[in-house]
Amino acid sequence: DCALWDFDAKCAGVRAWQLAGLAEPGRLITACTIGVASPQAMAEAARNAQSPLIKLKLDGGNDLARIRAVRAAMPRARLIADADESWTLDQLRELAPAFRECGVELIEQPLPTDQDEALRGFDCPVALCADESFWDSNDIDRLCGLYSVLNIKLDKCGGLTEALKAQKRAADNGLRILTGSMISTSLALAPATLLAQNAGFVDLDGSALLLSDRNPGLRGEDTRIGPPHPTLWG
């Protein structure tokens, strides 16, 4: 799907954002993902990254200590907590107020996907984001009332066409968007930069986790990415 957008844009002599009827994209601040480790190690990784937006992978263990350590190391950074389906509802009830005190803006996929309904009626003090529970626009009706944010990944929904459809349908239902990615080169991330222009959260650091990337890539010398050069995509 994304290759077809690139092909059509090059045949028409325009950019993909123009074909999509979107505004010209600008550079984006993307989250820097910190993997699960000890509180001290995660704090050190966050300090070394010096990113204004940090996503912390969690596993249901010593998660509050991890959040507090990173917050102490990076007092002004925005924080996203990704529980990766590792919590129970009781853990969410216990941790969410403390996470809010630490300035965490988003908790991603706290419960296993088959336990989503447990969130219905739960007034969480931190916004909840569906990741593994959300694939494409067909899931939106089911998730309304459970989550307030959806993680749209082109890898999950099948490409830019469905991602744009899901983004519009989410907005129509009062849901915000996190534009996410898998570990991938800039070629896979490039179409997502169009989607991310109107996202509340951007998590497109997949190419930063590779030993090497395509050239030209999306990353500059700071924490921002994109938009893609036409020789890369679109």
Side-chain angles (χ1 to χ4, degrees):
D1 178 81
C2 294
L4 184 58
W5 277 94
D6 181 60
F7 180 78
D8 286 346
K10 286 177 168 56
C11 287
V14 298
R15 299 304 306 273
W17 59 266
Q18 294 172 300
L19 284 183
L22 302 173
E24 184 174 2
R27 290 178 63 77
L28 299 159
I29 293 177
T30 180
C32 173
T33 301
I34 306 296
V36 174
S38 69
Q40 296 76 15
M42 293 180 74
E44 184 64 20
R47 189 181 294 111
N48 291 337
Q50 287 297 307
S51 173
L53 179 61
I54 298 173
K55 178 174 176 175
L56 303 168
K57 291 285 191 176
L58 304 174
D59 64 2
N62 202 15
D63 290 341
L64 182 55
R66 291 165 171 148
I67 292 292
R68 286 174 171 165
V70 171
R71 174 51 76 207
M74 297 293 291
R76 285 183 285 275
R78 300 174 63 200
L79 300 182
I80 299 170
D82 186 0
D84 271 330
E85 304 184 78
S86 65
W87 294 357
T88 65
L89 183 60
D90 286 342
Q91 282 178 297
L92 176 60
R93 291 183 187 277
E94 178 184 353
L95 291 173
F99 275 34
R100 182 177 181 178
E101 290 179 4
C102 291
V104 173
E105 297 184 28
L106 191 68
I107 297 174
E108 193 174 344
Q109 197 65 45
L111 308 184
T113 57
D114 60 356
Q115 297 177 24
D116 283 333
E117 275 299 318
L119 297 172
R120 195 169 300 281
F122 173 56
D123 185 15
C124 189
V126 180
L128 298 179
C129 175
D131 182 8
E132 286 82 2
S133 292
F134 174 77
W135 285 75
D136 57 33
S137 59
N138 295 314
D139 294 318
I140 291 178
D141 287 344
R142 176 177 59 85
L143 297 176
C144 283
L146 306 178
Y147 297 93
S148 60
V149 182
L150 303 177
N151 185 341
I152 299 182
K153 295 177 180 175
L154 275 64
D155 313 70
K156 292 190 297 181
C157 69
L160 182 60
T161 302
E162 173 59 26
L164 291 171
K165 178 183 176 182
Q167 185 179 50
K168 182 181 184 305
R169 190 167 179 187
D172 290 344
N173 283 272
L175 300 171
R176 293 184 293 161
I177 293 302
L178 183 154
T179 303
S181 69
M182 305 298 192
I183 298 176
S184 55
T185 71
S186 287
L187 180 60
L189 301 176
T193 63
L194 303 190
L195 190 74
Q197 299 297 317
N198 296 313
F201 304 89
V202 179
D203 180 23
L204 297 177
D205 67 338
S207 63
L209 304 175
L210 299 175
L211 183 62
S212 61
D213 191 14
R214 289 175 178 266
N215 186 21
L218 291 176
R219 298 186 66 83
E221 295 181 356
D222 55 20
T223 59
R224 297 180 297 167
I225 62 167
H229 190 278
T231 56
L232 174 65
W233 180 87

